[in-house]
Amino acid sequence: MHFCRAAVSLAVLAQGIAAAEARECAQSPGKAIELCVEVRDGRATYAVSRRGTPVLAPGELGLSFQGEQIARFAALANPRRKSVDTDWEQPWGEQRVIRDRHNELTVTLSGDTPLNRAVDVTFRIFDDGIGLRYGYGAIAAGQAVKVAADRTQFRPVGRQQAWWYQALGQERDEYLYTQTDARRITLAETPLTLKGDNGVYLSFHEAALVDFPSMLLAGSGTGTLTASLMPAPDGSAAEKTGPFTTPWRTVLIGDSPAALADSRIELNLNEPNRLGDVSWFKPGKYVGIWWEMHLNHSTWGSGWRHGANTANVKRYIDFAAKNGFGGVLVEGWNQGWDGDWIANGEKFSFTRAYPDFDAPALAAYARPKGVRLIGHNETAGAVENYEAQLEDAMAMYAALGVGVVKTGYVRHSGEIVDAQGGKQWFAGQYMVRHHLRVVETAAKHRIAIDAHEPVKDTGLRRTWPNMVSREGARGQEFNAWGVPTNPPEHLTILPFTRMLAGPMDFTPGIFDLAHGQTELTRRVQSTLATQLAEYVVLYSPVQMAADLPENYEARPDAFQFIKDVPTDWEQSRTLQAEIGDYVVVARQERGGEDWYLGAITDENARALRQPLSFLAPGVRYEAQIYADGPQADYRTNPQAYRIEKRVVTRVDVLDLALAPGGGTAIRFRRIR
């Protein structure tokens, strides 16, 4: 659905390549941000200021290509401007109606190499950031070219603190963040978030990543960041045929971490829904055979400890039906898990089950209970094997009523073998193409994809709404066997780094926080109330109740919040936060009047005062509060919690007492 708030206006200031202009500027609709692009001394650069103060110093623009020198630019011409102010509706999401309000400036750069002789650069300027991309419309149709490098620079003004981890690690994106001076960045993944000594927050990422390598950011040691494309086996960055456009390079700009988290630039820079009616996908919660295997209670491989057996799956189906969950994930159901499956991914079958798993019988057992199986396709990075079976697999799952498939690519990055024997990185152009092929094939069968070990999200869920969630960070499974497990501050960093890219399937909700371990760094490093708060703070339209059924049955009062909390939202607001310290998020149920709040702190106890001004005026709510107990502490007493109820309105202020590693989860139920 599409709503027009105001007419889209287009003003072409010059036709054709006329006399070169040295400099062009454009402002955001509210005049908060100004961007200027210019050509001088053979370099094309752009600079950004906010409220009259420089934010990004002049940084270079352009791509370079194999077989030709780095281009020198001689002219900037043909400026074209556009203003857009529209509303559009997500079929599901963290916010139902999204406003797209921006000014656009496109200029043509004239370079001295054949492939850079005419390059369009389009800038979209929002009040909370910018996007830019390149258009190579002058390259002849069908002409093959190899991109050698993306030369785009980001040059933050002033000293910056950064939250980042080293890119091109063998474990993909599954690393803890470190906080350092931005000048210490060597090669970082995006989203990369900075806090300036001027109090301005920046986050660098990309949008609409299609048929192009993922962008990294290389540090210079002086604070300048330069785009670095994930390489192909032959050393090139991307293979393209003319004409083509690149993904958007994005910069979020705000006065607070909350301003970054609540920006919708990432979605607005993607194309509208291509799938049409996707009402066949229903956001919701699921349980499954997953955590028990990470705890080594059962196995993915066949044998007497095999977790994905028919009787065990029926137990999870019954638990899901009893508690109102619509899905049951089953990992380890298919042949190929025996032995060293990571090294032998080509042995996976995505249509043949182990003998003790009866898929048709289980689907039939689940259907009248309102439960559907969630498929699982672990590829071990054997992409060619998966693609050869992809159509048959999706057709089979559709026939069984499977509506969501979780994919996986557990293999060291840089060791994914393509059809020619080349070794690929997990988010190079080859894998970007593959993930989109999976999503498009699944869509034909009305199946949604939840990708683990994925290419990072870049807002493509707007264009392909069956691309519902991804992992792409150090998730809950590290709390089962990680050494160390995730520290408390991890949950207060994710909303302003990884989560700026899009939904994450973190798999929250662990109640047995020690799970038999005695060392703190081998346990889940949070309180139980934090596990509830994760359902609000870490957004995904598909949320797992990840613990074992018996652990929920032992604490039905706390489990009630997981049963109640939605996964689809009318609106979302980050209320207060400091990256790495604490975060408070509120979300309103889509199509409803209830609100939910999640608050999480790091290893320090924290007292926060939270105004409830986000609630509707003139309405009374019952606040159902799930909080840390008086003696709660993630180190010594993680399972202490208290539940209380009180009547509140939007004029009230709540005092949130967060224990070390603690949290609070609240449902605000409208009183009628």
Side-chain angles (χ1 to χ4, degrees):
M1 188 178 297
H2 192 276
F3 306 93
C4 185
R5 180 190 300 271
V8 175
S9 63
L10 176 64
V12 178
L13 300 186
Q15 297 291 336
I17 302 298
E21 297 287 339
R23 189 169 188 262
E24 289 289 339
C25 296
Q27 292 184 322
S28 64
K31 304 189 184 307
I33 293 176
E34 182 176 58
L35 180 146
C36 293
V37 55
E38 68 177 327
V39 170
R40 179 181 297 179
D41 300 327
R43 298 168 64 239
T45 64
Y46 77 104
V48 177
S49 62
R50 182 172 183 267
R51 297 173 184 161
T53 301
V55 173
L56 296 179
E60 288 200 39
L61 295 165
L63 305 181
S64 60
F65 295 87
Q66 284 192 0
E68 64 179 39
Q69 65 186 13
I70 295 173
R72 290 180 58 81
F73 293 100
L76 178 157
N78 195 18
R80 291 89 80 192
R81 299 176 188 268
K82 181 191 297 184
S83 294
V84 170
D85 190 353
T86 61
D87 288 339
W88 59 277
E89 183 173 342
Q90 294 197 87
W92 54 267
E94 68 276 55
Q95 181 175 325
R96 183 174 64 84
V97 177
I98 292 179
R99 186 179 185 182
D100 180 1
R101 182 172 179 246
H102 68 264
N103 290 333
E104 181 177 294
L105 169 66
T106 300
V107 298
T108 300
L109 305 177
S110 299
D112 64 354
T113 65
L115 297 177
N116 275 296
R117 70 180 185 273
V119 184
D120 285 342
V121 187
T122 298
F123 302 92
R124 289 187 181 169
I125 305 102
F126 302 79
D127 284 328
D128 57 348
I130 67 162
L132 70 91
R133 71 175 175 186
Y134 305 108
Y136 283 83
I139 296 178
Q143 179 181 351
V145 299
K146 287 191 175 184
V147 177
D150 184 335
R151 298 179 57 78
T152 308
Q153 289 183 330
F154 307 92
R155 300 184 61 213
V157 175
R159 295 189 61 179
Q160 309 281 332
Q161 287 290 304
W163 289 265
W164 68 291
Y165 56 87
Q166 186 71 33
L168 298 182
Q170 67 178 19
E171 301 304 330
R172 303 159 302 274
D173 287 328
E174 296 176 347
Y175 294 93
L176 294 173
Y177 288 86
T178 59
Q179 180 184 352
T180 71
D181 188 303
R183 292 172 294 185
R184 293 181 59 187
I185 294 171
T186 50
L187 186 66
E189 265 287 1
T190 66
L192 172 63
T193 300
L194 309 181
K195 178 185 180 181
D197 56 6
N198 57 359
V200 175
Y201 291 79
L202 304 171
S203 189
F204 305 96
H205 190 40
E206 59 185 320
L209 175 59
V210 175
D211 195 21
F212 214 72
S214 178
M215 181 185 75
L216 311 173
L217 290 173
S220 66
T222 64
T224 295
L225 302 165
T226 303
S228 176
L229 301 178
M230 204 164 278
D234 67 359
S236 66
E239 296 184 359
K240 299 294 293 183
T241 55
F244 71 91
T245 58
T246 67
W248 295 91
R249 279 69 186 94
T250 63
V251 185
L252 305 184
I253 306 171
D255 286 327
S256 67
L260 303 182
D262 293 349
S263 173
R264 303 294 177 244
I265 287 177
E266 200 70 31
L267 289 167
N268 279 327
L269 289 174
N270 277 267
E271 297 297 318
N273 178 2
R274 292 188 182 181
L275 300 182
D277 180 13
V278 289
S279 58
W280 42 266
F281 168 68
K282 304 295 184 185
K285 297 182 290 275
Y286 66 100
V287 296
I289 299 174
W290 179 75
W291 188 244
E292 66 175 66
M293 293 183 289
H294 284 286
L295 296 180
N296 200 30
H297 293 183
S298 63
T299 63
W300 284 271
S302 63
W304 68 273
R305 297 180 65 234
H306 184 219
N309 66 77
T310 299
N312 197 27
V313 176
K314 282 186 175 181
R315 182 171 71 95
Y316 279 87
I317 291 171
D318 290 341
F319 179 78
K322 177 182 176 181
N323 293 286
F325 295 158
V328 172
L329 169 71
V330 185
E331 294 197 6
W333 66 274
N334 57 311
Q335 295 182 22
W337 288 95
D338 296 331
D340 187 354
W341 56 268
I342 297 177
N344 299 293
E346 70 280 353
K347 295 182 179 179
F348 274 121
S349 170
F350 303 101
T351 56
R352 296 194 304 274
Y354 279 121
D356 59 350
F357 178 81
D358 190 335
L362 287 167
Y365 181 78
R367 191 175 301 115
K369 299 175 180 286
V371 178
R372 303 171 79 180
L373 297 177
I374 294 176
H376 182 244
N377 289 171
E378 173 56 62
T379 69
V383 169
E384 298 297 322
N385 176 57
Y386 186 36
E387 290 195 355
Q389 302 179 57
L390 187 58
E391 177 63 38
D392 289 344
M394 293 298 169
M396 186 187 93
Y397 306 151
L400 291 171
V402 171
V404 178
V405 170
K406 174 182 174 181
T407 59
Y409 299 85
V410 179
R411 178 168 292 215
H412 286 165
S413 187
E415 297 182 6
I416 297 173
V417 180
D418 62 25
Q420 290 73 44
K423 292 187 176 181
Q424 299 280 349
W425 294 97
F426 80 100
Q429 187 177 19
Y430 170 82
M431 288 302 291
V432 170
R433 288 170 170 169
H434 165 73
H435 281 279
L436 189 54
R437 179 180 177 186
V438 172
V439 166
E440 291 178 324
T441 303
K444 291 192 303 182
H445 297 281
R446 296 191 165 190
I447 291 174
I449 296 296
D450 171 16
H452 282 229
E453 296 81 40
V455 173
K456 63 194 174 188
D457 196 358
T458 60
L460 286 172
R461 56 197 165 107
R462 178 183 181 185
T463 311
W464 287 276
N466 70 318
M467 188 179 286
V468 295
S469 195
R470 312 187 192 207
E471 187 190 39
R474 213 173 192 259
Q476 188 81 269
E477 68 270 24
F478 280 84
N479 291 330
W481 40 255
V483 183
T485 52
N486 297 330
E489 71 169 8
H490 186 57
L491 295 174
T492 67
I493 295 173
L494 285 176
F496 311 105
T497 51
R498 159 64 182 86
M499 301 300 298
L500 298 181
M504 181 184 176
D505 187 22
F506 186 82
T507 56
I510 302 303
F511 279 15
D512 182 7
L513 297 156
H515 56 78
Q517 301 294 327
T518 57
E519 295 180 28
L520 176 64
T521 55
R522 302 296 296 271
R523 302 173 354 209
V524 182
Q525 296 187 55
S526 82
T527 66
L528 190 145
T530 300
Q531 292 295 309
L532 301 180
E534 287 175 4
Y535 286 89
V536 182
V537 172
L538 303 178
Y539 169 65
S540 177
V542 287
Q543 290 277 32
M544 187 177 197
D547 209 344
L548 309 181
E550 54 266 34
N551 292 331
Y552 293 130
E553 290 170 339
R555 289 180 171 81
D557 54 350
F559 186 46
Q560 187 63 47
F561 183 83
I562 298 178
K563 294 167 64 173
D564 290 341
V565 66
T567 63
D568 199 15
W569 305 102
E570 188 72 22
Q571 56 181 314
S572 298
R573 299 183 189 176
T574 305
L575 302 176
Q576 53 176 313
E578 195 59 62
I579 304 174
D581 292 340
Y582 64 92
V583 56
V584 183
V585 176
R587 305 185 194 270
Q588 182 188 12
E589 182 178 9
R590 177 176 289 217
E593 298 177 284
D594 290 1
W595 283 80
Y596 291 77
L597 181 146
I600 294 174
T601 186
D602 61 0
E603 69 278 6
N604 299 306
R606 205 172 301 273
L608 301 175
R609 286 183 59 78
Q610 181 55 61
L612 303 183
S613 55
F614 56 88
L615 297 175
V619 177
R620 297 165 69 241
Y621 295 85
E622 179 184 72
Q624 302 169 358
I625 303 171
Y626 301 75
D628 295 316
Q631 303 301 317
D633 189 311
Y634 79 103
R635 297 161 296 194
T636 59
N637 194 15
Q639 291 180 308
Y641 64 92
R642 59 185 173 83
I643 301 173
E644 63 177 274
K645 298 178 181 180
R646 68 176 70 171
V647 176
V648 299
T649 69
R650 73 189 312 266
V651 301
D652 290 315
V653 177
L654 284 184
D655 291 315
L656 306 179
L658 308 179
T664 298
I666 305 174
R667 178 188 182 185
F668 296 94
R669 184 182 63 83
R670 176 168 182 165
I671 298 174
R672 297 188 179 279

